[in-house]
Amino acid sequence: MNTFKVSVQETSNNAIVKFEVNQFITKHQSFEFNNVDEAKPSPLAQQLFYLPFVKKVYISGNFVAVERYDIVQWTDVQDEVAQQIEAYLNGGGTVIIEAEAPKKIPVTVYAEATPNPSVMKFVANKKIVTALFEFTSIDEAKLSPLATELFHFPFVKSVFIEENYVSITKYDVSEWQDITIQLREFIKQFIESGKEVVLPEASEKLQNTSTQKDTHFEALDDTSKEIVNILEEYVKPAVASDGGNIQFLSYDETTKNVSVLLQGACSGCPSSTFTLKNGIENMLKQMLPGKVEMVEAING
């Protein structure tokens, strides 16, 4: 069984703390409870209301947000609350009793074109994964029920999934105007059904968890860490908005060459390889003078 892990995340409201779980605890549904009576559909929320400082509980996707009364400060109790939620989940505790739960919020999915003419981005109004995943064949997609089913469409070449969207790369045998509605409705119905988009153990098996990423980052040399931080802050947000991702692969201190992996809409895009390579190359040369000579962009 995949172990639940809970981390504490601050919010812009100092009365509310978000307890983020490393996997989904609801079927893409959101619930808000104002008191212990309202929380009958959620044994987890009821347990939290037994804490005298808990004012409101909000459960959605892969997190539990708790609002406190002013009788305590979160710094004094947040670690204990995180441990309590983690122990509850790992003990097999029920998060939501489906039969008693309020009616779920409808799922909406819209299609969005990307700079890559072979890729369409399908955006949901809910968070559907806790990490990013790319699958280039049905064999690779065994850890993702959604990607596996998408590969049953003969025109699907690869599937990239991140937070609240799915980027699909098609073969040239089909045109987007002929298949976009079909794919959008399929993804919408899949999410609405409450099926797992990726299996709970997917991140761990693909070495994609936050802990594994942090361990890998700490093992890097200082220049590689600087490169990763620059990519995370300046490049990834723009790339993600187009349905893609860029991933640091390696840095050679001798040749001063950097290798990056282009994923999703960026992979195989006629313009992105040149644009990203030169854009990133110029940025790294300016921000890390004397440390970077060339950037090699590899398609995922």
Side-chain angles (χ1 to χ4, degrees):
M1 183 179 68
N2 199 43
T3 304
F4 289 95
K5 294 178 182 177
V6 177
S7 59
V8 178
Q9 306 290 334
E10 295 181 356
T11 71
S12 56
N13 185 338
N14 63 15
I16 299 175
V17 161
K18 191 174 173 182
F19 298 93
E20 194 165 287
V21 188
N22 64 330
Q23 55 187 286
F24 283 96
I25 55 176
T26 73
K27 295 179 178 179
H28 311 294
Q29 300 175 55
S30 301
F31 306 92
E32 185 176 315
F33 305 106
N34 295 292
N35 54 57
V36 71
D37 288 333
E38 281 188 12
K40 287 178 181 177
S42 174
L44 171 58
Q46 282 192 313
Q47 185 180 103
L48 290 171
F49 274 116
Y50 292 141
L51 300 172
F53 54 83
V54 171
K55 181 179 181 181
K56 184 180 291 187
V57 177
Y58 182 81
I59 302 176
S60 179
N62 70 317
F63 70 86
V64 179
V66 179
E67 183 176 353
R68 63 169 174 82
Y69 287 108
D70 292 336
I71 57 174
V72 298
Q73 296 299 314
W74 272 121
T75 51
D76 298 327
V77 297
Q78 61 189 25
D79 291 339
E80 287 81 359
V81 174
Q83 291 169 13
Q84 180 175 331
I85 294 172
E86 193 172 285
Y88 180 88
L89 295 173
N90 285 316
T94 301
V95 177
I96 298 291
I97 301 172
E98 294 293 334
E100 299 180 16
K103 188 176 181 181
K104 63 183 180 181
I105 300 171
V107 174
T108 60
V109 175
Y110 68 87
E112 183 179 293
T114 75
N116 188 338
S118 296
V119 179
M120 187 70 71
K121 181 179 176 183
F122 297 87
V123 186
N125 63 332
K126 297 176 180 295
K127 187 173 184 178
I128 58 174
V129 290
T130 59
L132 65 86
F133 302 91
E134 183 171 43
F135 307 101
T136 58
S137 70
I138 195 168
D139 286 335
E140 287 185 4
K142 291 175 182 176
L143 292 168
S144 172
L146 173 58
T148 297
E149 293 200 27
L150 285 171
F151 275 113
H152 289 154
F153 291 102
F155 44 76
V156 171
K157 183 178 181 182
S158 65
V159 179
F160 179 83
I161 309 173
E162 185 174 14
E163 194 152 299
N164 71 323
Y165 70 85
V166 181
S167 286
I168 295 177
T169 304
K170 70 172 180 66
Y171 287 106
D172 293 338
V173 293
S174 300
E175 299 299 329
W176 282 120
Q177 63 262 30
D178 300 325
I179 60 177
T180 297
I181 294 176
Q182 181 183 8
L183 285 170
R184 181 174 63 80
E185 285 302 310
F186 175 81
I187 294 169
K188 176 179 181 293
Q189 290 173 16
F190 187 97
I191 297 171
E192 279 183 333
S193 71
K195 297 178 184 177
E196 292 176 323
V197 174
V198 296
L199 299 181
E201 65 269 21
S203 288
E204 195 164 340
K205 286 189 175 181
L206 296 172
Q207 298 189 346
N208 209 14
T209 66
S210 298
T211 302
Q212 289 165 327
K213 288 179 179 177
D214 291 344
T215 301
H216 175 68
F217 179 80
E218 291 304 321
L220 296 174
D221 60 85
D222 290 341
T223 302
S224 292
K225 288 180 180 178
E226 289 180 295
I227 294 169
V228 171
N229 288 332
I230 291 170
L231 294 178
E232 290 285 338
E233 184 174 356
Y234 298 101
V235 181
K236 279 197 174 186
V239 172
S241 68
D242 287 333
N245 183 57
I246 183 166
Q247 181 178 323
F248 171 80
L249 290 179
S250 64
Y251 168 70
D252 189 316
E253 190 175 1
T254 304
T255 61
K256 300 180 182 178
N257 288 352
V258 178
S259 292
V260 296
L261 178 68
L262 304 181
Q263 297 175 296
C266 298
S267 179
C269 179
S271 61
S272 68
T273 302
F274 176 81
T275 304
L276 282 171
K277 177 188 179 300
N278 287 276
I280 296 166
E281 194 170 272
N282 291 334
M283 181 185 294
L284 292 177
K285 283 181 177 178
Q286 290 175 9
M287 300 182 77
L288 301 173
K291 294 182 179 180
V292 174
E293 285 297 327
M294 188 182 79
V295 172
E296 178 188 14
I298 301 169
N299 287 317

